[in-house]
């Protein structure tokens, strides 16, 4: 199938993109890498009257570290994240996660801003943003808004963005050198969307967590920052504690049914991931053997 007819405008600046979006509102759609928008248009799941191409706005591209803040421009491609020394040094979780986003051809075009604005609940990067405590920076007719990642994702393909707004960057606090991370997803084949996945960032002292952020994906209509993680902070982790946290996590999940898995299977896999994650972050294989999923 082919997309229905649409007008095309190549934005010459962020201000120009915002003008176009302000004038055309819901009839316009932003085009970044096109890896989600163009298939949706070809399938007639999206039919914008105007496509605003921001692909040449180079000031929205790149990774910068200033003090203890890492800023990633919205147009930074997945492939750029994989190659960035700043990401390798300060946000290795992202590097692990991006390797699971689709395939090289898609990663060469797809952008971080596009992935977050698309808000697919099975996407890797939104869950990473929760785990990393990211702030999402958005510009619109009223100026700039800074939105915490856990308030940005509002449902399947839904975010806090209005049709007049542009996601311009994300800001991550640079994690302490001693912090550690975990990423894993269950997928039918490498590069497929996850059946269930987990992106985690932690601080471990004396074999206890002093901080632990668990970003689950494909477990509901949006990525989930698990509150149950709080029960693992500053306590000795035993199989019994882990089992209690697994049960609490179950309450937080609202998995959806699709062709890949039932809600029961997703709940089970999320608990398996939780236990493997904790065991791996604490370097305690005994927890995997001792705790039941
Ligand atoms: C075969 C295939 C497999 C895929 N597998 C995965 C996968 O495993 N994991 C995964 O996460 N994704 C996957 N994707 C989806 C895609 O790679 C991502 O959603 C992402 O790369 C899209 O980024 P983009 O720059 O191409 O966004 P676009 O397609 O250009 O835009 C996506 C949406 O975001 C909006 N948008 C884009 N940029 C902005 C901005 N700066 N401000 C406001 N709105 C904006 C657009 O209007 C559109 O609604 C897959 C896609 C394909 C075709």
């Amino acid at each position: 199938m082919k997309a229905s007819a649409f007008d095309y405008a190549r934005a010459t600046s962020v201000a120009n993109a915002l003008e176009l979006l302000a004038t055309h509102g819901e009839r316009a759609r932003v085009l970044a890498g096109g890896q989600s928008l163009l298939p949706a248009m070809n399938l007639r799941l999206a039919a914008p009257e105007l496509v605003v191409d921001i692909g040449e706005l180079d000031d929205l591209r790149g990774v910068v570290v200033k003090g203890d803040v890492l800023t990633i421009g919205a147009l930074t491609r997945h492939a750029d994240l994989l190659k960035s020394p700043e990401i390798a040094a300060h946000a290795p979780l992202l590097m692990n996660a991006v390797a699971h986003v689709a395939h090289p051809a898609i990663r060469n075009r797809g952008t971080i801003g596009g992935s977050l604005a698309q808000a697919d609940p099975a996407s890797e990067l939104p869950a990473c943003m929760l785990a990393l405590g990211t702030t999402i920076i958005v510009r619109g007719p009223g100026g700039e808004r800074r939105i915490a990642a856990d308030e940005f994702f509002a449902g399947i393909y839904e975010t806090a963005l209005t049709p007049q707004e542009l996601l311009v960057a994300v800001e991550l606090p640079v994690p302490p050198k001693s912090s550690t991370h975990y990423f894993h997803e269950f997928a039918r084949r490498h590069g497929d969307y996850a059946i269930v996945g987990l992106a985690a960032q932690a601080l471990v002292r004396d074999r206890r967590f002093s901080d632990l952020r668990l970003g689950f994906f494909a477990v509901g209509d949006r990525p989930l920052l698990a509150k149950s993680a709080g029960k693992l902070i500053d306590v000795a982790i035993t199989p019994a504690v882990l089992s209690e946290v697994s049960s609490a996590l179950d309450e937080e999940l609202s998995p959806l049914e699709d062709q890949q898995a039932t809600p029961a299977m997703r709940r089970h896999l999320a608990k398996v991931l939780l236990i493997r994650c904790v065991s791996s972050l604490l370097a305690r294989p005994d927890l995997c053997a001792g705790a039941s999923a």
Side-chain angles (χ1 to χ4, degrees), residues 55-286:
E56 297 208 336
L57 304 185
D58 285 338
D59 44 341
L60 295 185
R61 206 181 304 281
V63 181
V64 174
V65 186
K66 249 195 210 154
D68 54 4
V69 177
L70 176 71
T71 305
I72 309 173
L75 278 185
T76 308
R77 297 187 180 115
H78 302 310
D80 302 329
L81 293 174
L82 280 173
K83 286 185 282 193
S84 159
E86 291 85 2
I87 297 291
H90 302 297
L93 171 65
L94 277 184
M95 202 159 259
N96 279 185
V98 167
H100 293 265
V101 176
H103 305 285
I106 290 161
R107 296 200 291 260
N108 282 336
R109 302 290 314 168
T111 65
I112 184 168
S115 174
L116 301 181
Q118 180 70 10
D120 188 314
S123 269
E124 291 81 0
L125 295 187
C128 291
M129 296 300 124
L130 298 184
L132 292 167
T134 304
T135 302
I136 293 171
I137 302 171
V138 160
R139 266 186 233 154
E144 191 166 284
R145 288 202 293 148
R146 300 169 62 83
I147 308 167
D150 51 357
E151 288 171 11
F152 182 76
F153 301 102
I156 301 181
Y157 309 132
E158 272 182 44
T159 68
L161 277 171
T162 68
Q164 284 86 16
E165 285 178 321
L166 201 58
L167 194 165
V168 291
V170 297
E171 273 184 13
L172 286 63
V174 169
K177 286 255 176 301
S178 56
S179 72
T180 170
H181 69 279
Y182 175 91
F183 183 90
H184 192 79
E185 69 180 45
F186 292 111
R188 301 250 173 231
R189 293 172 306 185
H190 187 83
D192 281 5
Y193 276 103
I195 300 173
V196 171
L198 173 58
Q201 187 75 23
L203 265 179
V204 179
R205 272 196 211 110
D206 301 328
R207 301 198 105 196
R208 292 183 182 209
F209 291 112
S210 51
D211 191 20
L212 176 63
R213 295 174 67 89
L214 301 176
F216 282 93
F217 52 106
V219 293
D221 70 353
R222 66 196 80 175
L224 173 82
L225 184 64
K227 292 193 180 70
S228 320
K231 295 178 188 289
L232 294 166
I233 306 290
D234 281 334
V235 294
I237 310 291
T238 61
V241 168
L242 209 37
S243 186
E244 191 196 319
V245 173
S246 279
S247 307
L249 174 68
D250 217 5
E251 298 285 306
E252 290 190 65
L253 308 176
S254 317
L256 307 172
E257 169 106 44
D258 63 16
Q259 288 170 330
Q260 297 216 76
T262 60
M265 182 175 163
R266 288 200 154 94
R267 283 179 189 282
H268 173 74
L269 293 177
K271 289 194 262 177
V272 170
L273 279 183
L274 169 75
I275 292 165
R276 288 188 188 171
C277 168
V278 170
S279 157
S280 156
L281 289 172
L282 295 176
R284 287 195 39 199
D286 58 300

